[in-house]
Amino acid sequence: MSATVELTKENFDQTVTDNEFVLIDFWAEWCGPCKQFAPVYEKAAEDNPDLVFGKVDTEAQPELAAAFGIQSIPTLMIVRDQVAVFAQPGALPEAALTDVIGQARKLDMEQVRQQIAEQQAQQGGGQGA
């Protein structure tokens, strides 16, 4: 029994909406680094049963890969409270993955939302008034 969830365009939105903390591994069967990262990701899923670990097969789900602008695989993304707080291509070693999860757990989501609102205000504020 895998600790990870296969994400598809049918269940993706529901998974991200229903869960406060979702890690997403964008991968493909033919990708060597993806295969190397898979056991590290699986172990992290087993070590963090309170979090949702999803996998998106970019070959089977090209719409999801395109929606997130995935250019390179594997890419790890972390979504907290429906906000992408981390996205990085490349297979992470176990220690780095553990560190990233720890940092994402510590994020103050109120502060993150405030920063996003400020960025959106700055981007939208310069166009006519």
Side-chain angles (χ1 to χ4, degrees), residues 32-126:
C34 298
K35 289 183 180 204
Q36 291 172 339
F37 181 58
V40 172
Y41 191 70
E42 196 72 38
K43 181 177 185 319
E46 290 167 9
D47 291 347
N48 297 275
D50 58 317
L51 307 181
V52 175
F53 284 73
K55 292 178 77 74
V56 174
D57 180 346
T58 56
E59 293 291 302
Q61 304 296 324
E63 301 92 344
L64 283 177
F68 288 98
I70 302 300
Q71 301 290 319
S72 155
I73 53 174
T75 289
L76 175 68
M77 184 175 289
I78 299 178
V79 179
R80 275 201 56 196
D81 298 341
Q82 298 161 42
V83 175
V85 296
F86 178 85
Q88 179 180 309
L92 293 174
E94 185 176 343
L97 179 57
T98 300
D99 184 52
V100 165
I101 292 169
Q103 288 180 43
R105 280 186 187 274
K106 290 180 196 151
L107 282 175
D108 178 344
M109 289 310 293
E110 284 302 314
Q111 193 175 9
V112 169
R113 276 192 279 280
Q114 187 176 345
Q115 289 171 343
I116 291 169
E118 287 169 7
Q119 287 172 354
Q120 289 173 338
Q122 287 171 355
Q123 290 169 356

Side-chain angles (χ1 to χ4, degrees), residues 2-43:
S2 174
T4 60
V5 178
E6 185 68 34
L7 295 176
T8 66
K9 61 182 192 261
E10 288 75 25
N11 71 355
F12 187 90
D13 288 341
Q14 188 77 40
T15 302
V16 170
T17 302
D18 288 353
N19 297 282
E20 178 186 324
F21 198 125
V22 182
L23 293 93
I24 306 159
D25 174 22
F26 290 89
W27 69 285
E29 187 63 41
W30 51 264
C31 164
C34 298
K35 289 183 180 204
Q36 291 172 339
F37 181 58
V40 172
Y41 191 70
E42 196 72 38
K43 181 177 185 319

